[in-house]
Amino acid sequence: MQVLILGAAGMVGRRLAQHLLASGRLGDQPVSRITAFDMVPADLEAGASGIDLKIVTGDISDAATIRALVADRPDVIFHLAAVVSGEAEADFDKGYRINLDGTRHLFEAIRAEADYRPRVVYTSSIAVFGAPFGDKIGDEFLTAPLTSYGTQKMIGELLLNDYSRRGIFDGIGIRLPTIVVRPGKPNKAASSFFSGIIREPLAGIEADLPVDDDVRHWVASPDSAVGYLVHGATMDLEPVGPRRCLTMPGLSVTVAEMLAALRDVTGEDVVARVRRKPDETIRRIVAGWPRDFDATRAAELGFVTDASFHEIIRAHQRETGHGLA
Amino acid sequence: MQVLILGAAGMVGRRLAQHLLASGRLGDQPVSRITAFDMVPADLEAGASGIDLKIVTGDISDAATIRALVADRPDVIFHLAAVVSGEAEADFDKGYRINLDGTRHLFEAIRAEADYRPRVVYTSSIAVFGAPFGDKIGDEFLTAPLTSYGTQKMIGELLLNDYSRRGIFDGIGIRLPTIVVRPGKPNKAASSFFSGIIREPLAGIEADLPVDDDVRHWVASPDSAVGYLVHGATMDLEPVGPRRCLTMPGLSVTVAEMLAALRDVTGEDVVARVRRKPDETIRRIVAGWPRDFDATRAAELGFVTDASFHEIIRAHQRETGHGLA
């Protein structure tokens, strides 16, 4: 089985590639080749896997580049390449070029190949939803995005549904929760602190908390994200029907619950490294985000998420060795 | 005030142009110029209106063509140019080229003009909704199209919302009901008979009814369609908020109710010209269509529709002189 990963240098894409290289399989199929595509070379090594790992760089908004990748006729294509929310809002052209044109180039490149119907796993986002929403967003909730990023992701979902309906490929869309605990350093995303208030204290560093303790958010671990993608790539799509894009199951937790879990898993000295430092801009942005979902369809279709926020913290500890007694 | 009509040779576009030419105004503003654009020359005459009528032909999927039209900086742009449902399903490339690329070219041409923020009135469709739906589709109902046409129209809605949110233009989207009674001849649309069973008997011709009498559908008259567009062009958009695309009010009527109204307005001899001729293909297509809407938002925002199906028939009679005693 040949696999193409678009966006393989990103946090989730690289982790997915590492998972495939380590296991040598996707579901019950052995993987013979992984093409890891991104703007910058993905930091990956084939190691002892025996898998033919091709690291390719390029611009997804260039149709010829995508056609060349698809000409290898990969069996499964993971499409994670995107300009993130803040950048798509700041740079109108770049957001539409990468997130909309890039996605369309991919879908058109597949259509141009004769007798070819790969599985396409498309990462979407809960940004396809826009306020006002109630406390829990169900599978039938109106997708009315309020950002350019959400608009672009939603257009990708609509295209994925239509191309799948017409038999051009077998698509499945994965709306990811906010991934916590992201490894590495803080970034400029407004959601960065959700990882920061766990990651930094565990590493012995102070972390700023810009919002109130009662702020509720929808999260899943990096390993769950990989799990959704692998399940999306291997599941039977017959029972999914024409609405191919699914809100993934996740955990709805408040900041207070996150910190209580951190206290339970480590201790008060670790939690004490979190400093309340209210930031009006971030408070306002986060107030517009959805807080909770009813992801019944995805759960019924076999997608699974983390058992608890305690387990999310422990998985990060196992991986980093941080904050272990 | 300068007005650009894209799709001016179509039934609704031409009728809109005729209305503007006859009244000389759009809302309380005098109209100085109308540019009537379509693939074929729109059958229009300036007459005694004093309006500068420009009839222009071209391909909306050619970006340079659209840029040239927008370079005149019309104050109001009516975008009705589209490949219809059946053709978009039959010709994948053409549907995406006209309905998606054409719309995007228009929006991008507006963005390219400095210090320019026209009103854009975009015609969408109830095809943005896909089964399963309940008996009545409300304003918060999920837009999950099941055709390429519905997908393309929905992508246009998303773009319209995003471009409007970013202040590039002031957009409003109008989801038209099925227009009944369409003047002229039957066409190959699956919905053609909804007009045919009124129009042909009034003209003394027999008409086929391919579905059961209890089939319910969502309709409005050609004059109502023009009314929606004019109101969309002149209304205050402030109270609309970020969700710019609205299901128009219409009438939810069964075939039996349509025929009863025809009987009331004319007589049994006219209704007797309708022949029951069941067509499994059309029955199946129509069974997948929405039947009824709760268009509260549009009604609250001042859009009005026909008083009754009797009035729709009488308006068609006044216009054609057909079936008058």
Side-chain angles (χ1 to χ4, degrees):
Chain A
M1 167 168 283
Q2 297 195 21
V3 175
L4 170 62
I5 303 175
L6 303 173
M11 191 265 286
V12 175
R14 181 165 166 264
R15 199 173 186 98
L16 168 67
Q18 286 173 323
H19 167 82
L20 299 178
L21 288 166
S23 71
R25 312 183 81 77
L26 179 54
D28 57 6
Q29 297 284 315
V31 175
S32 56
R33 177 195 280 176
I34 296 174
T35 303
F37 176 86
D38 211 314
M39 290 173 62
V40 297
D43 181 16
L44 292 165
E45 281 182 28
S49 68
I51 293 173
D52 175 18
L53 173 66
K54 284 175 64 179
I55 295 173
V56 183
T57 58
D59 180 353
I60 193 178
S61 72
D62 177 60
T65 299
I66 299 308
R67 273 199 303 272
L69 291 168
V70 170
D72 285 345
R73 301 169 76 91
D75 302 287
V76 176
I77 301 174
F78 293 99
H79 177 23
L80 300 98
V83 164
V84 297
S85 184
E87 193 172 4
E89 201 61 23
D91 189 336
F92 188 94
D93 283 303
K94 189 173 180 183
Y96 275 94
R97 193 170 68 240
I98 304 293
N99 294 348
L100 173 48
D101 295 332
T103 297
R104 217 169 148 208
H105 290 330
L106 170 64
F107 294 177
E108 281 294 284
I110 295 167
R111 188 162 79 93
E113 290 285 316
D115 302 319
Y116 175 54
R117 190 173 165 177
R119 175 71 55 103
V120 174
V121 184
Y122 169 71
T123 48
S124 187
S125 164
I126 54 177
V128 298
F129 299 105
F133 17 67
D135 284 339
K136 244 179 155 65
I137 296 179
D139 290 316
E140 309 266 290
F141 195 82
L142 178 67
T143 49
L146 289 176
T147 59
S148 291
Y149 176 76
T151 299
Q152 293 147 10
K153 281 290 170 191
M154 187 59 212
I155 292 174
E157 289 198 4
L158 287 162
L159 293 172
L160 183 108
N161 286 335
D162 198 40
Y163 279 65
S164 296
R165 185 182 65 80
R166 295 184 77 129
I168 296 164
F169 54 71
D170 253 339
I172 179 94
I174 304 283
R175 293 184 195 133
L176 291 176
T178 294
I179 303 302
V180 172
V181 183
R182 288 180 72 94
K185 296 196 185 304
N187 62 26
K188 287 185 177 174
S191 61
S192 178
F193 73 89
F194 285 117
S195 284
I197 59 171
I198 306 299
R199 183 185 57 225
E200 314 323 355
L202 285 172
I205 304 169
E206 294 199 324
D208 292 342
L209 173 61
V211 302
D212 294 334
D213 284 43
D214 62 354
V215 162
R216 179 172 285 283
H217 199 59
W218 184 245
V219 303
S221 68
D223 282 342
S224 282
V226 170
Y228 306 146
L229 295 168
V230 168
H231 185 61
T234 55
M235 68 189 289
D236 177 13
L237 291 185
E238 187 59 36
V240 179
R243 297 181 185 176
R244 295 296 182 104
C245 299
L246 301 164
T247 301
M248 289 296 107
L251 299 178
S252 178
V253 284
T254 62
V255 167
E257 288 165 352
M258 292 181 190
L259 296 179
L262 184 61
R263 187 177 293 110
D264 291 347
V265 173
T266 59
E268 187 54 44
D269 53 327
V270 173
V271 178
R273 294 182 190 127
V274 176
R275 297 172 303 198
R276 265 94 189 152
K277 199 173 163 188
D279 181 315
E280 269 317 303
T281 306
I282 294 180
R283 283 171 78 155
R284 206 169 45 241
I285 294 172
V286 173
W289 288 350
R291 294 175 291 271
D292 196 3
F293 291 84
D294 178 356
T296 300
R297 278 193 75 210
E300 285 174 359
L301 288 161
F303 289 92
V304 291
T305 191
D306 306 281
S308 67
F309 200 76
H310 292 70
E311 279 309 309
I312 290 181
I313 295 172
R314 289 194 190 100
H316 180 75
Q317 287 186 296
R318 282 193 298 274
E319 195 168 300
T320 59
H322 290 166
L324 293 172
Chain B
M1 167 171 282
Q2 299 196 20
V3 174
L4 170 62
I5 303 175
L6 304 173
M11 191 266 284
V12 175
R14 180 165 165 263
R15 199 175 187 95
L16 169 68
Q18 286 172 324
H19 167 82
L20 299 179
L21 288 166
S23 71
R25 313 183 79 77
L26 179 53
D28 57 7
Q29 297 283 316
V31 175
S32 56
R33 177 193 281 177
I34 296 173
T35 304
F37 176 86
D38 211 314
M39 288 173 64
V40 297
D43 181 14
L44 292 166
E45 281 181 31
S49 69
I51 292 174
D52 176 19
L53 174 65
K54 285 175 65 179
I55 295 174
V56 183
T57 59
D59 180 352
I60 195 179
S61 72
D62 178 59
T65 299
I66 299 308
R67 272 199 304 272
L69 292 168
V70 170
D72 285 344
R73 301 169 78 91
D75 302 288
V76 176
I77 301 173
F78 293 98
H79 177 23
L80 298 99
V83 164
V84 298
S85 184
E87 193 171 4
E89 202 63 22
D91 189 337
F92 187 94
D93 282 302
K94 188 173 182 183
Y96 275 94
R97 195 171 66 239
I98 303 293
N99 295 348
L100 172 48
D101 294 333
T103 298
R104 220 172 146 204
H105 290 329
L106 170 63
F107 294 178
E108 281 293 286
I110 295 168
R111 189 163 78 93
E113 290 286 316
D115 302 319
Y116 175 53
R117 191 173 164 176
R119 175 70 56 103
V120 174
V121 184
Y122 168 73
T123 47
S124 187
S125 164
I126 55 177
V128 298
F129 300 105
F133 19 64
D135 284 337
K136 242 178 157 66
I137 296 179
D139 290 317
E140 310 266 288
F141 195 83
L142 179 67
T143 50
L146 289 176
T147 59
S148 291
Y149 176 76
T151 299
Q152 292 147 10
K153 282 291 171 191
M154 187 59 212
I155 292 174
E157 289 198 4
L158 287 162
L159 292 173
L160 183 107
N161 286 335
D162 198 40
Y163 279 65
S164 296
R165 185 182 64 80
R166 295 184 76 130
I168 296 164
F169 55 70
D170 254 338
I172 179 93
I174 304 283
R175 292 182 195 135
L176 292 176
T178 295
I179 303 302
V180 173
V181 183
R182 289 180 70 95
K185 297 195 184 303
N187 62 26
K188 288 186 175 172
S191 60
S192 179
F193 74 88
F194 285 117
S195 284
I197 59 171
I198 307 300
R199 183 185 56 225
E200 314 323 356
L202 284 172
I205 306 169
E206 294 200 323
D208 291 343
L209 173 60
V211 303
D212 294 335
D213 284 41
D214 62 353
V215 162
R216 180 172 283 285
H217 199 57
W218 184 245
V219 303
S221 69
D223 282 341
S224 282
V226 170
Y228 306 146
L229 295 169
V230 168
H231 185 61
T234 55
M235 69 190 286
D236 177 15
L237 291 183
E238 188 59 36
V240 180
R243 297 180 184 176
R244 296 294 184 104
C245 299
L246 301 165
T247 301
M248 288 296 106
L251 298 179
S252 177
V253 284
T254 63
V255 166
E257 288 164 353
M258 291 180 191
L259 296 179
L262 184 61
R263 187 177 292 109
D264 291 346
V265 173
T266 58
E268 188 54 44
D269 54 326
V270 173
V271 178
R273 297 183 190 127
V274 175
R275 298 173 302 200
R276 264 96 189 151
K277 199 175 165 191
D279 180 316
E280 269 318 303
T281 306
I282 293 180
R283 284 172 77 154
R284 207 170 43 243
I285 294 173
V286 173
W289 287 351
R291 293 176 292 272
D292 196 3
F293 290 84
D294 178 355
T296 300
R297 277 192 75 209
E300 285 174 357
L301 288 162
F303 290 92
V304 291
T305 192
D306 306 281
S308 68
F309 199 76
H310 292 69
E311 279 310 308
I312 291 180
I313 296 172
R314 290 194 189 101
H316 180 75
Q317 287 186 294
R318 281 192 299 272
E319 194 168 299
T320 59
H322 290 166
L324 292 173

